[in-house]
Amino acid sequence: MGDLTEYIAGLPKAELHVHHVGSASPKIVAELASRYEGTTTVPADETKLAEYFTFTDFRHFIELYLNVVDLIRDPQDIYTLTYEVAGELHRQAVRYAELTCTPYSSMKRGIQGAAYCEAIEQARSDARRDWGIELRWCFDIPGESGIYAAEQTLQVALDQRPDGLISFGLGGPEIGVPRPQFKPFFDVARAEGLRSVPHAGETTGAQTVWDAIEALGAERIGHGIRSIEDPKLVDYLADNQIPLEVCPTSNIRTRAVATLAEHPLAALVAAGVPISINSDDPPMFGTTLCREYAVAAELLELNTVGVTELARAGVRHSFLAEEGRQALLAEIDAYEINWYAEGRDPRH
Ligand SMILES: O=c1[nH]cnc2c1ncn2[C@@H]1O[C@H](CO)[C@@H](O)[C@H]1O
């Protein structure tokens, strides 16, 4: 596995399912928490954070996630967080990422939509300057906040239209938050050229994935792992090549899946469902994108050739324009060739 870890570390990647606040480093979260000592349950001590991010179930995860969101109250924090997240993506050899941002949650806490968008755009151009990484935004509706949040999210997306904005999503709990109610907002977003990437089939069954496809026009599904329960849906995803953005460790840490041995990733791949591998909320789940590639390699019994295909899939399922896709696929090819050129055996 040692060779694979080293290989994965430098393998150029695209990440398609990673959350903005969920990626805030323990250093940033602890610093933010120290400002609101006594009014937040979030520890101001980095070492205590790992323990804090131990979730009894998905609902508990969302509760603690929102406790962290609560600490972010000015545009400078948005800039710093976004720039630092880009630095960590760079350390994971990510060359392109579609970062899921939830502007409504920040606007609700007093940050103006325009200031929010300026901050993330400034971070995006600084990250490109410093690390050559290409960021795009998915603006998602926090589903637990319902129709008003959907209205606000669509409005800020279309009023501000930051250069990096490429897709429109739906996050938060699925239980008690039916997808079809958001159809009018996805219809407008798609008509305006935003790509549809709602979460579904993470903590509820296959029906939410059907709803995401039929009501929200999903082109990719966030998680979608519970699709495995419905053979017709599995066939539909495979026949129509609708990719699932799979985040293995997230599913374990939120208790959406009991153990890795029971994770449906291998069954989905065997059925021809296209997948990408992602980290979701890496510091909260004690993981990194490279580690998620290693987990997928274990579950799918992949060698260096196989994990290279995972990286290519991330590019192919991205919304990056053709020129950028070809350039990133060429980077991956060059990396693979150089790796073997140093005399390593691809059969590892
Ligand atoms: O794995 C996940 N599933 C669903 N929502 C998530 C996940 N990770 C982070 N969020 C975020 O939780 C917030 C809820 O208001 C949203 O911002 C959503 O993007």
Side-chain angles (χ1 to χ4, degrees), residues 86-106:
E88 179 52 31
L89 287 165
H90 173 66
R91 283 188 289 280
Q92 300 299 312
V94 171
R95 307 285 294 126
Y96 171 84
E98 295 174 12
L99 195 57
T100 296
C101 300
T102 316
Y104 172 73
S105 300
S106 292

Side-chain angles (χ1 to χ4, degrees), residues 17 19 22 58 61-62 65-66 69 100-102 105 140-145 170-173 199 202 223 250 254 280-281 285:
H17 191 116
H19 290 265
F58 187 81
F61 159 67
I62 292 292
Y65 189 94
L66 293 175
V69 170
T100 296
C101 300
T102 316
S105 300
D140 85 333
I141 301 164
E144 75 282 0
S145 298
L170 169 60
H199 284 62
E202 177 182 18
H223 295 283
S250 163
T254 64
D280 205 8
D281 306 279
F285 299 140

Side-chain angles (χ1 to χ4, degrees), residues 38 40 59 204 245:
T40 177
R59 188 204 51 71
T204 55
E245 302 154 0

Side-chain angles (χ1 to χ4, degrees), residues 35-325:
R35 288 189 217 165
Y36 303 105
E37 199 106 40
T39 62
T40 177
T41 61
V42 181
D45 171 314
E46 281 184 51
T47 50
K48 292 206 180 90
L49 268 177
E51 197 184 314
Y52 182 76
F53 290 144
T54 304
F55 312 108
T56 51
D57 60 13
F58 187 81
R59 188 204 51 71
H60 184 219
F61 159 67
I62 292 292
E63 180 194 333
L64 298 196
Y65 189 94
L66 293 175
N67 287 346
V68 176
V69 170
D70 220 18
L71 304 174
I72 300 161
R73 302 190 192 166
D74 75 55
Q76 184 54 40
D77 292 336
I78 296 285
Y79 169 84
T80 308
L81 190 157
T82 313
Y83 182 75
E84 299 277 329
V85 165
E88 179 52 31
L89 287 165
H90 173 66
R91 283 188 289 280
Q92 300 299 312
V94 171
R95 307 285 294 126
Y96 171 84
E98 295 174 12
L99 195 57
T100 296
C101 300
T102 316
Y104 172 73
S105 300
S106 292
M107 290 155 66
K108 195 168 113 178
R109 288 167 175 84
I111 297 181
Q112 296 301 311
Y116 181 94
C117 291
E118 266 162 50
I120 60 173
E121 280 298 317
Q122 187 59 54
R124 184 168 87 97
S125 63
D126 291 356
R128 182 191 293 121
R129 175 198 64 205
D130 297 347
W131 299 301
I133 188 170
E134 205 45 59
L135 294 183
R136 295 291 183 282
W137 316 121
C138 168
F139 277 6
D140 85 333
I141 301 164
E144 75 282 0
S145 298
I147 296 299
Y148 180 68
E151 285 165 356
Q152 292 295 300
T153 306
L154 182 62
Q155 187 171 0
V156 69
L158 301 185
D159 289 357
Q160 299 302 323
R161 202 76 193 237
D163 290 347
L165 182 62
I166 197 160
S167 55
F168 196 71
L170 169 60
E174 292 166 5
I175 296 171
V177 186
R179 304 307 71 190
Q181 62 184 318
F182 299 109
K183 178 174 179 358
F185 306 98
F186 275 80
D187 286 351
V188 172
R190 292 166 60 221
E192 290 289 333
L194 295 180
R195 318 297 289 270
S196 170
V197 287
H199 284 62
E202 177 182 18
T203 58
T204 55
Q207 187 54 50
T208 54
V209 179
W210 281 120
D211 291 342
I213 295 166
E214 292 166 353
L216 307 184
E219 294 176 69
R220 292 191 325 235
I221 302 286
H223 295 283
I225 55 168
R226 299 282 288 271
S227 303
I228 199 65
E229 297 167 3
D230 177 351
K232 280 202 194 68
L233 175 55
V234 170
D235 289 346
Y236 186 88
L237 293 170
D239 296 347
N240 293 279
Q241 287 296 288
I242 298 177
L244 306 184
E245 302 154 0
V246 180
C247 315
T249 301
S250 163
N251 301 143
I252 306 302
R253 295 291 298 270
T254 64
R255 319 292 173 136
V257 176
T259 66
L260 272 182
E262 296 164 73
H263 197 287
L265 175 63
L268 288 162
V269 169
V273 176
I275 62 103
S276 63
I277 293 298
N278 307 274
S279 64
D280 205 8
D281 306 279
M284 291 186 174
F285 299 140
T287 190
T288 64
L289 182 60
C290 287
R291 186 168 148 58
E292 292 309 294
Y293 267 62
V295 168
E298 247 174 77
L299 293 176
L300 300 172
E301 297 173 5
L302 304 178
N303 59 14
T304 47
V305 174
V307 291
T308 308
E309 268 316 299
L310 283 185
R312 293 195 177 100
V315 180
R316 290 196 188 103
H317 302 155
S318 77
F319 298 133
L320 183 55
E322 194 50 32
E323 190 188 336
R325 288 151 74 102

Side-chain angles (χ1 to χ4, degrees), residues 323-334:
E323 190 188 336
R325 288 151 74 102
Q326 291 312 320
L328 186 40
L329 288 170
E331 273 191 58
I332 292 169
D333 294 346

